[in-house]
Amino acid sequence: MIDRATVEKIVDAAKIVDVVGEFVTLKKSGVNYKGLCPFHDDRNPSFMVSPTKNICHCFVCGKGGTPANFLMEHEQITYPEALRWLAKKYNIEIVEKELTDEERQEQNDRESMFIVNEWAKDYFHNILLNDPDGLAIGKQYFRSRGIRDDIIEKFQLGYSPQKRDALLLASKEKGYKQEFLVKTGLCIENERGAYDRYSGRAIFPWFNISGKVVAFGGRVLDSRTKGVAQKYVNSPDSDIYHKERELYGLYQAKRAIVKEDMVYMVEGYTDVIAMHQAGIENVVANSGTALSTHQIHMLHRFTNNITLLYDGDEAGIHAAMRGTDMLLAQGMNIRVLLLPDGDDPDSFARKHSTEELKRYINENQTDFITFKSRLTVENVTDPIKRSEAIVGILKSISVIPDSILRNEYTSNLSHRLNIKEETLIAEMNKCISKNVEEKQKEQEREEQKAASNADEDIQPLTLHTAAEQSTQVELMLVREIVRHGSDIIYKDVATEDGQTISLTVAQYIHYDLSQDGITFVSPLHNRILEEAVTQCENPDFKSQIYFCSHPDIEISKLSTQLAIDRHQLGGRFSKEDDEQNLRQRVLHLIMDYRMNIIENKLKEINQQLKQVNGNMERTMELLKEHMKIKELRDALAKNLGSDLILK
């Protein structure tokens, strides 16, 4: 376990802009920063980051929180894992004890899979650098591809021994369970037993966006290469890896992508590695699979600009063509470069210097209109095929969300093909109408599906009940405790014994409610109040910082939500924060809360009166209690400034 002092050190060091900036491109917006939300399909920046409050929040999907909360949600990791991530980033030492067998057993599958993958990555890398076969076969392969030692280290490349169970046996010696080797795909299990998936192959580890090893790719090296249909073997999908959600090289490229405000998309591992070695680091690969919406969303957090850099053969052309419409629909600006026939980014990069490579890319990349028109329209004489190709380009333009950019592309196409712009616009509008119609149909299908799955016992909308109002007021009181619990609202109040005391917001709320034995309905709310009262004895206690950084994730999540003000995320709460206004607000909320409790109590008594069944003694008791509570309600209503006649 990480002790509280170390946790506080980590929390104090963690800066929300630094942490979110690892995953999202942020731009200054007043005192805050904003960017595309990483938790939903965000077209317009709705993710706000407040350096002064050290929290983030999406005003569409509602996700965010402290640096640790953000990491937990984004990386799907536990609170201790988030703390370790932050400690590593800020060079804070954490001394942890060796896990016992019982503790290791308690580790969840996901964490265990990450641990096994990390060990396997080190195992493969060590074999490559130190084992005789690793040096003679694996290292020689990377040497033959011109890959330097520093690049081998950067990508943690490795080699798997030819023995079919080498990794399996080594893992058992280290105490790792076979079930996690199978779950991660490192081993294959059948009726004859288990064996290594990657034996005799060069190893390319996959890192997710935060640097955790999620998968591996293995390339066969020896004489089996000839005639082998599948030279590369990749990890199967698992709890920690889904190929449509990852991009090879993104972890190593993300800083360069932000710096250059552009990303190159290539096809394979060695293409990424060769580009890095040539000095171009803003490059990722989808490893031969079709681009997914999730992959595009990941890239969109860092840049709007992408260049598809593929082989000039038929496969490369197909790869470039199939990705354009999806990229355009997500608002990406696309350029395309097909390398000379016979070259891929790997071979081309090895033939040229960094300067030559950059110059060639800059001089030969084209926008997708030029690329598609050259490929499908120009030099085509058949009127039908030419017409179909033009409509195909217009369909691509029609998915672009920016209307001005659509017009620019349409005008560009008109000049290139010498076709009236009005004709192209009319045809494109048909495409847009069809897109809208298809989206509406899809939405209707989703709504019908949701309706069929919904609970049939749907209650009609009604006005808030007293109980619901009480819940809302309780939450508002807790918000004041989180935001201002440590703020003093009564200074030097005289006590009966002649002493003077000062009361904070938390202390006053607790004192007032406890006079009548009132507690919050929610146990979580009671915990926050009690903890705030206890912490008020500490002169350094700052309620908002304390609760938003609380080790209990439920408390920190709720506190972060309550601490955020949509209109004043970056600052204090203006004139509301002066002592007089804060005191009045707290007093009013407490009276509202008491009023709701009284209303609920009166309803209970009325229900009991209906059920006394002629018991006069019980009836009189209830009527007296009703009268007493009604007097309290009328007094409260007067204090709240109500001029209503209460019945």
Side-chain angles (χ1 to χ4, degrees):
M1 294 292 291
I2 305 172
D3 63 29
R4 183 66 194 176
T6 306
V7 171
E8 291 175 355
K9 189 176 180 181
I10 294 169
V11 168
D12 289 342
K15 304 302 178 190
I16 192 68
V17 175
D18 293 345
V19 174
V20 175
E22 292 271 346
F23 308 93
V24 180
T25 299
L26 298 174
K27 295 183 178 179
K28 201 83 166 66
S29 177
V31 296
N32 300 317
Y33 291 81
K34 66 180 180 180
L36 294 173
C37 178
F39 302 117
H40 77 280
D41 182 6
D42 200 9
R43 302 290 179 84
N44 298 308
S46 59
F47 197 69
M48 300 298 292
V49 178
S50 168
T52 55
K53 290 180 178 292
N54 208 36
I55 55 178
C56 58
H57 183 72
C58 176
F59 289 115
V60 175
C61 70
K63 292 185 178 179
T66 64
N69 295 149
F70 173 83
L71 288 170
M72 290 171 68
E73 186 71 41
H74 191 276
E75 297 303 298
Q76 292 297 293
I77 57 179
T78 63
Y79 184 65
E81 287 178 316
L83 291 176
R84 293 186 189 101
W85 191 100
L86 292 168
K88 183 178 179 181
K89 177 177 177 63
Y90 292 99
N91 298 313
I92 297 171
E93 183 179 359
I94 295 179
V95 180
E96 295 188 85
K97 64 179 181 179
E98 182 70 22
L99 292 177
T100 65
D101 290 341
E102 290 182 0
E103 289 170 332
R104 189 176 287 113
Q105 181 66 36
E106 291 173 0
Q107 298 245 12
N108 60 46
D109 285 7
R110 184 181 176 84
E111 185 177 353
S112 297
M113 290 169 74
F114 279 126
I115 291 170
V116 166
N117 271 355
E118 182 70 19
W119 170 82
K121 180 261 294 179
D122 292 339
Y123 169 81
F124 291 136
H125 189 60
N126 182 62
I127 292 291
L128 178 74
L129 300 183
N130 300 304
D131 183 82
D133 283 348
L135 291 166
I137 303 174
K139 192 74 172 284
Q140 181 57 38
Y141 165 73
F142 291 123
R143 284 276 186 266
S144 71
R145 303 299 294 252
I147 299 175
R148 300 190 308 260
D149 287 348
D150 62 310
I151 300 298
I152 288 175
E153 286 297 321
K154 185 175 187 178
F155 287 88
Q156 289 290 288
L157 305 178
Y159 176 72
S160 179
Q162 295 188 43
K163 187 180 178 183
R164 296 283 281 172
D165 59 355
L167 176 133
L168 180 61
L169 292 175
S171 67
K172 287 183 177 179
E173 288 180 6
K174 294 292 183 181
Y176 294 105
K177 293 183 178 180
Q178 183 172 307
E179 67 172 294
F180 296 117
L181 294 166
V182 174
K183 283 183 176 180
T184 56
L186 286 163
C187 291
I188 299 171
E189 191 174 39
N190 57 29
E191 64 279 358
R192 291 177 295 177
Y195 58 93
D196 298 353
R197 182 182 296 272
Y198 304 108
S199 57
R201 294 176 182 265
I203 301 297
F204 301 83
W206 281 66
F207 297 86
N208 67 11
I209 199 170
S210 63
K212 284 181 173 289
V213 183
V214 293
F216 297 90
R219 187 189 191 280
V220 68
L221 301 183
D222 57 23
S223 58
R224 290 178 295 163
T225 301
K226 295 181 180 179
V228 173
Q230 193 176 14
K231 293 180 182 179
Y232 283 94
V233 172
N234 299 311
S235 294
D237 276 11
S238 69
D239 290 343
I240 62 173
Y241 171 68
H242 301 280
K243 60 178 177 286
E244 75 279 1
R245 300 176 71 87
E246 303 292 342
L247 288 164
Y248 182 77
L250 182 57
Y251 173 66
Q252 291 88 349
K254 59 185 180 180
R255 292 186 184 277
I257 294 171
V258 173
K259 181 180 178 182
E260 301 294 333
D261 192 21
M262 199 272 287
V263 62
Y264 294 104
M265 174 71 72
V266 296
E267 286 193 90
Y269 306 131
T270 55
D271 295 330
V272 171
I273 290 168
M275 294 281 281
H276 271 262
Q277 187 155 293
I280 298 176
E281 297 184 335
N282 52 324
V283 55
V284 298
N286 59 333
S287 295
T289 60
L291 267 177
S292 70
T293 302
H294 186 89
Q295 289 169 329
I296 297 171
H297 289 168
M298 280 202 301
L299 291 176
H300 208 167
R301 298 177 208 164
F302 300 100
T303 183
N304 292 330
N305 306 304
I306 185 169
T307 294
L308 306 178
L309 190 58
Y310 294 140
D311 308 0
D313 58 15
E314 186 176 344
I317 292 171
H318 177 69
M321 290 287 283
R322 71 185 175 188
T324 53
D325 285 8
M326 191 176 291
L327 287 161
L328 290 168
Q330 299 300 321
M332 296 289 278
N333 304 318
I334 311 171
R335 300 187 75 80
V336 183
L337 174 59
L338 297 181
L339 295 169
D341 200 7
D343 268 322
D344 56 24
D346 177 15
S347 60
F348 194 81
R350 285 188 276 128
K351 292 177 184 177
H352 298 83
S353 67
T354 301
E355 292 73 23
E356 290 172 339
L357 180 58
K358 288 181 176 179
R359 184 167 60 250
Y360 183 86
I361 292 172
N362 291 332
E363 292 175 356
N364 291 277
Q365 63 182 350
T366 61
D367 62 72
F368 94 100
I369 293 294
T370 302
F371 167 70
K372 274 199 168 183
S373 61
R374 282 178 181 172
L375 196 65
T376 63
V377 179
E378 295 175 19
N379 301 320
V380 175
T381 56
D382 186 310
I384 295 177
K385 290 183 178 179
R386 185 178 172 87
S387 174
E388 289 174 348
I390 292 170
V391 171
I393 296 173
L394 290 172
K395 285 180 179 178
S396 295
I397 297 175
S398 72
V399 302
I400 298 173
D402 189 326
S403 59
I404 295 176
L405 190 56
R406 284 202 307 267
N407 291 337
E408 286 294 318
Y409 276 133
T410 306
S411 178
N412 181 318
L413 186 63
S414 171
H415 290 301
R416 286 191 65 85
L417 303 181
N418 196 25
I419 299 176
K420 288 184 178 180
E421 190 171 342
E422 292 81 359
T423 303
L424 296 179
I425 290 174
E427 186 62 37
M428 187 180 67
N429 285 337
K430 292 180 184 177
C431 296
I432 293 173
S433 297
K434 189 174 182 180
N435 293 341
V436 171
E437 184 180 340
E438 288 177 352
K439 285 183 179 179
Q440 287 176 342
K441 288 181 179 179
E442 179 63 28
Q443 185 175 352
E444 287 172 4
R445 285 194 292 269
E446 290 296 325
E447 289 174 354
Q448 289 173 0
K449 184 178 179 181
S452 64
N453 294 333
D455 186 353
E456 294 181 1
D457 188 23
I458 299 175
Q459 299 298 322
L461 291 175
T462 61
L463 294 174
H464 287 303
T465 65
E468 290 170 335
Q469 291 175 351
S470 179
T471 300
Q472 289 299 313
V473 176
E474 178 172 309
L475 192 63
M476 293 170 74
L477 277 169
V478 175
R479 182 178 64 181
E480 297 301 333
I481 295 167
V482 168
R483 287 181 172 183
H484 306 292
S486 54
D487 293 352
I488 294 174
I489 54 173
Y490 283 101
K491 290 181 180 177
D492 301 328
V493 178
T495 62
E496 292 180 356
D497 59 1
Q499 302 293 319
T500 59
I501 60 170
S502 296
L503 293 176
T504 65
V505 168
Q507 289 170 331
Y508 181 77
I509 292 173
H510 182 267
Y511 168 78
D512 189 284
L513 296 181
S514 65
Q515 294 303 298
D516 295 307
I518 298 172
T519 60
F520 291 140
V521 174
S522 165
L524 187 65
H525 296 170
N526 282 319
R527 281 186 58 198
I528 290 174
L529 176 57
E530 290 164 7
E531 207 162 321
V533 171
T534 301
Q535 289 297 324
C536 281
E537 301 299 324
N538 179 359
D540 297 325
F541 173 57
K542 300 295 181 185
S543 56
Q544 185 165 294
I545 295 173
Y546 178 87
F547 286 114
C548 287
S549 304
H550 201 281
D552 186 318
I553 189 60
E554 293 303 318
I555 290 179
S556 65
K557 274 187 176 180
L558 175 62
S559 300
T560 301
Q561 292 169 1
L562 296 176
I564 290 170
D565 186 305
R566 181 182 180 93
H567 303 293
Q568 301 196 27
L569 184 65
R572 298 285 292 167
F573 297 92
S574 66
K575 63 182 181 180
E576 281 190 342
D577 280 355
D578 66 65
E579 184 181 318
Q580 178 70 22
N581 286 323
L582 179 58
R583 181 167 60 244
Q584 291 301 319
R585 196 162 69 247
V586 170
L587 290 173
H588 202 284
L589 284 172
I590 290 175
M591 286 191 286
D592 277 342
Y593 193 59
R594 286 178 174 275
M595 175 67 80
N596 289 322
I597 291 173
I598 287 172
E599 291 287 356
N600 287 329
K601 186 62 177 175
L602 287 174
K603 285 186 177 180
E604 287 179 17
I605 294 173
N606 287 333
Q607 288 293 326
Q608 291 175 13
L609 282 169
K610 293 177 182 178
Q611 300 171 2
V612 292
N613 296 324
N615 186 331
M616 290 303 297
E617 184 178 351
R618 178 58 178 158
T619 300
M620 292 304 296
E621 288 178 1
L622 290 172
L623 286 173
K624 287 180 181 179
E625 187 176 359
H626 187 279
M627 183 65 69
K628 181 180 177 182
I629 293 175
K630 185 175 179 296
E631 289 174 358
L632 286 174
R633 185 187 67 175
D634 293 345
L636 269 177
K638 186 176 181 181
N639 285 332
L640 284 167
S642 173
D643 56 358
L644 297 174
I645 299 174
L646 299 174
K647 297 180 180 179

